[in-house]
Structure formats: structure tokens, C-alpha cells
């Protein structure tokens, strides 16, 4: 049986790290693949592992031997899961592995927006503190989170954990989720409509998946409702945001700042309008990438393949 890893490098560039899959069959490893390379590389494979390499209907049609697509990620928007189901291909993902890391990263981004610790460190190392008389050198406005409201779009695993951290910072939490009430809210968390969430939040954090319904959810119309000066954080998927509209909201000062771990095309293109937008912090899709989360991701991937081959698939999303 052939197992093809289409884009293993971001998880584990060392091929030895994939040895756990070798007990199931021949493993063919690729650092990274384009959508156009999938058919050739996955030909004859029973199992394909993909992190972000797209697998669309036309690709599936040309891979008749494929039985399992195992995502090396939580988000599965790069796979046409409906087309896979129609062809009898099981798709599974890796939930939970990154819940704590991603929600922690939300606060790494948010705290950077509040305090600009990196910028102050640079100023100190450049001698700015030494060369002025005051005991304190404040280069930007400093913001306290206690008493502010965090709006969480998507109250699933990461959204819920982000709410826990927000509560620990003394924030009130508004949330909007698909069913409006899936998962009973924790104390201090209130479900509301998206418009109310946008109008009532000092910090908006996105945690819903990228789907037909959520594509472009954050657009000019929605951004016109935000509290002046609010912060937007996106660690979910770039496609949730209309990037030109976000750049406009930042440049006009309507939105105070944005911190984005994800953009619509990754790696980011040089003409992405957010690269030149005011007060826009961008990290290269690393919220998931702690050592601990990557270890769990690999373990669950091996478990996904073992369960599927054992006839009792787990973490199935289609
Ligand atoms: N930046 C990174 O490194 C990472 C990003 N992610 C992203 O985070 C997303 C969320 O992950 P989890 O919380 O584990 O998923 P989850 O499935 O536990 O939660 C997603 C939540 O979004 C809600 N939702 C779905 N459609 C919605 C809509 N139209 N409006 C509002 N809410 C909606 C669902 O009801 C669910 O409660 C993933 O889909 C992935 O795109 C996940 C891991 C790492
Ligand atoms: O797990 C995910 O969904 C990520 O985006 C990280 O690959």
C-alpha cells in the first residue's frame, strides 16, 4: 500500500520523523507540492496526507485508487470534502492538537498590539532609553485588556479556549457561532448576532472555519460597524477577510490595528494590500507550530491512518 505525503516539510522536514507511517506501507515523502503536481505524485496511492496542498474534484477524479485523505491540520478547506465523499474517499483531520497553541498565539498577537514590546526592546538596544533623561520611555499608547470586550467569531475548540484566556485577562466575551448556541457558553461569555458582536467588541478574534458561508465574512459592511479603534485578530483563515476592505479600514483609522497569522494566499504575495496597511501586524501562519502541537499532530496522523486501515476511521470530516 502506498502512502503519499504531499507537503510534510512544515510539520517535520526530517523524513525520519515520518517513520510512524512506515509500518502501514510504502511512504513517499514530498517537502511541498503544487496543486498541479498532485495527480502525478499521488498516482496509485491509497492514502494521501496533505497540509495545505489543494485536492479538488478534478484531482480526485484522476486518483481512482485513493481511499483516505488525512489532513496534517485542523482546517480542511483545501480539500473538496463533498466530492471526496461522493467518490467514497474518507477525509479526516487533526482536531485539538493546536487548540492551546493557537489560543496562546492569539494573546501573543493581542499583547503585541497592546504593548509593542518588540518595538520598545529595539528602542532600548538602539540607545534611545539611555539617551534621554526619564526613567520610562513610552513609544506607543499602552492598552489594558481588563474590562474590555472580546468578540469571538466561531465558538468551537479554539474559540472557546480563547474565551477562557480572555476571561483570565478580565475581559467580557461576546461570541457568534454557526448555530448561535452550539456549546453552552462558559461563564462571562454571551452569544449574540454578528452585527452586535462587531459593534460591541474592542477586540474581534476569528475562529470559524473557511467555508462557502464564511468566505469574505469580514468585509467593508461588517467593518463599518466596529467600535472606532477596535483590534481585529485572525488566526483562522485569510479567506474570511476581504483584504482590500481590511486595508481600507486600517488606513482610514476606523480599525485601530489588525494582527493576522493567515492571509488569503500563502506565502503572502508582494502585492497583498495588507503589507502596506497601517498598524497591521502579520505573522507567517505559525500559530499552530509549537513543538508540543507538532508532536501531537504527528501522533494523531499516525492514529488516523491506523484507525482507517483497521476499519474504524476516526476524526472523519466528510
Ligand atoms: N493559524 C493556525 O495555525 C491554525 C488555524 N486553525 C484554524 O482555526 C479554525 C478553527 O479551529 P477549531 O476551533 O479547532 O475548529 P472547531 O470546528 O472546533 O470550531 C469551529 C467553530 O466555528 C463555528 N462556525 C462554523 N461556521 C460558522 C459561521 N458561518 N459563523 C460563525 N461560526 C461558525 C462552528 O460552529 C464551530 O463552533 C480551523 O478551521 C482552522 O481554519 C486551526 C489550527 C491552526
Ligand atoms: O491546523 C491548521 O488548520 C493550520 O492552519 C495549521 O496547519
Amino acid at each position: 500500500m502506498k502512502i503519499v505525503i504531499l507537503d510534510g516539510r512544515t510539520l517535520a522536514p526530517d523524513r525520519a520523523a515520518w517513520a510512524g507511517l512506515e509500518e502501514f506501507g510504502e511512504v513517499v515523502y514530498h517537502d511541498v507540492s503544487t496543486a498541479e503536481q498532485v495527480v502525478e505524485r499521488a498516482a496509485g496511492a491509497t492514502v494521501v496526507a496533505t497540509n495545505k496542498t489543494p485536492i479538488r474534484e478534478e484531482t480526485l477524479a484522476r486518483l481512482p485508487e485513493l481511499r483516505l485523505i488525512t489532513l496534517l491540520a485542523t482546517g480542511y478547506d483545501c480539500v473538496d470534502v463533498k466530492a471526496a465523499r461522493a467518490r467514497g474517499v474518507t477525509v479526516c483531520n487533526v482536531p485539538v492538537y493546536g487548540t492551546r497553541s493557537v489560543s496562546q498565539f492569539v494573546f501573543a498577537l493581542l499583547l503585541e498590539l497592546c504593548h509593542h514590546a518588540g518595538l520598545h526592546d529595539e528602542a532600548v538596544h538602539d540607545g534611545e532609553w539611555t539617551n534621554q533623561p526619564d526613567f520610562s520611555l513610552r513609544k506607543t499608547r499602552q492598552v489594558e485588556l481588563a474590562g474590555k470586550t472580546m468578540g469571538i467569531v466561531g465558538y468551537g475548540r479554539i474559540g472557546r479556549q480563547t474565551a477562557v484566556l480572555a476571561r483570565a485577562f478580565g475581559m467580557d466575551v461576546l461570541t457568534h457561532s454557526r448555530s448561535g448556541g452550539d456549546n453552552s457558553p462558559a461563564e462571562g461569555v454571551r452569544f449574540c448576532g454578528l452585527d452586535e458582536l462587531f459593534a460591541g467588541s474592542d477586540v474581534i478574534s476569528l475562529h470559524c472555519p473557511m467555508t462557502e458561508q464564511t468566505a469574505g465574512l469580514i468585509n467593508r459592511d461588517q467593518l463599518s460597524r466596529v467600535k472606532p479603534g477596535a483590534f481585529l485578530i485572525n488566526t483562522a483563515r485569510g479567506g474570511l477577510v476581504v483584504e482590500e476592505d481590511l486595508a481600507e479600514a486600517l488606513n482610514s483609522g476606523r480599525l485601530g490595528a489588525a494582527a493576522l497569522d493567515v492571509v488569503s494566499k500563502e506565502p503572502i504575495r508582494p502585492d497583498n494590500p495588507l503589507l502596506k496597511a497601517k498598524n497591521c501586524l502579520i505573522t507567517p501562519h505559525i500559530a499552530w507550530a509549537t513543538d508540543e502541537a507538532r508532536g501531537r499532530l504527528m501522533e494523531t496522523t499516525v492514529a488516523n491512518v491506523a484507525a482507517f486501515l483497521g476499519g474504524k476511521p476516526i476524526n472523519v470530516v466528510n
Side-chain angles (χ1 to χ4, degrees):
M1 191 197 61
K2 187 168 158 189
I3 302 173
V4 173
I5 299 157
L6 289 172
D7 51 0
R9 182 163 56 197
T10 55
L11 173 53
D14 171 10
R15 287 173 189 218
W18 297 88
L21 290 177
E22 279 166 9
E23 65 179 279
F24 308 119
E26 177 203 359
V27 175
V28 181
Y29 170 92
H30 299 281
D31 280 335
V32 68
S33 301
T34 63
E36 294 68 38
Q37 288 171 320
V38 175
V39 170
E40 187 197 332
R41 290 185 170 185
T46 307
V47 177
V48 163
T50 177
N51 192 326
K52 298 288 174 285
T53 310
I55 304 184
R56 302 291 173 216
E57 185 165 18
E58 54 279 16
T59 307
L60 289 162
R62 295 170 68 191
L63 297 172
E65 285 161 79
L66 185 60
R67 287 289 157 266
L68 174 69
I69 298 172
T70 187
L71 266 302
L72 302 168
T74 300
Y76 47 88
D77 45 290
C78 66
V79 176
D80 186 336
V81 291
K82 279 191 200 147
R85 186 175 52 217
R87 293 185 173 276
V89 177
T90 300
V91 182
C92 56
N93 77 339
V94 184
V96 189
Y97 84 93
T99 305
R100 298 266 177 171
S101 293
V102 177
S103 50
Q104 175 179 310
F105 200 77
V106 169
F107 279 84
L109 294 174
L110 179 53
L111 293 174
E112 182 60 20
L113 296 185
C114 290
H115 299 294
H116 298 275
L119 179 86
H120 285 83
D121 170 66
E122 250 174 60
V124 171
H125 283 92
D126 286 349
E128 273 192 60
W129 194 21
T130 311
N131 296 327
Q132 56 89 62
D134 300 314
F135 80 93
S136 172
L137 170 70
R138 177 166 46 76
K139 292 187 68 70
T140 61
R141 169 183 165 241
Q142 300 287 296
V143 177
E144 185 177 84
L145 291 173
K148 303 243 172 3
T149 298
M150 185 159 204
I152 294 181
V153 182
Y155 195 62
R157 297 175 182 97
I158 298 171
R160 179 176 267 266
Q161 181 59 21
T162 301
V164 169
L165 300 183
R167 292 293 294 150
F169 275 91
M171 301 180 83
D172 297 320
V173 179
L174 292 175
T175 188
H176 171 78
S177 221
R178 185 176 41 195
S179 65
D182 52 347
N183 289 335
S184 55
E187 202 208 318
V189 177
R190 184 168 70 77
F191 278 103
C192 67
L194 199 58
D195 293 358
E196 184 184 347
L197 184 148
F198 265 72
S201 300
D202 300 286
V203 180
I204 297 157
S205 192
L206 307 181
H207 298 293
C208 57
M210 172 70 186
T211 63
E212 279 170 15
Q213 292 72 41
T214 61
L217 189 71
I218 312 308
N219 51 37
R220 182 174 298 156
D221 182 41
Q222 211 49 265
L223 290 165
S224 71
R225 293 193 178 85
V226 295
K227 276 193 186 180
F231 293 160
L232 175 76
I233 304 204
N234 187 8
T235 56
R237 284 292 180 266
L240 302 178
V241 175
V242 179
E243 292 176 332
E244 292 74 17
D245 295 358
L246 175 56
E248 192 182 290
L250 287 164
N251 290 334
S252 70
R254 172 83 199 174
L255 205 60
L260 314 169
D261 186 48
V262 285
V263 291
S264 58
K265 289 212 175 76
E266 296 175 350
I268 197 164
R269 301 295 190 264
D271 61 350
N272 188 310
L274 294 167
L275 282 171
K276 292 201 173 123
K278 273 196 217 159
N279 300 320
C280 190
L281 176 68
I282 307 175
T283 51
H285 203 145
I286 51 164
W288 66 285
T290 62
D291 292 352
E292 294 79 0
R294 286 164 57 230
R296 287 189 290 268
L297 183 41
M298 186 62 90
E299 277 168 27
T300 306
T301 297
V302 174
N304 280 350
V305 175
F308 176 79
L309 296 176
K312 292 194 173 144
I314 54 172
N315 299 322
V316 175
V317 295
N318 70 335

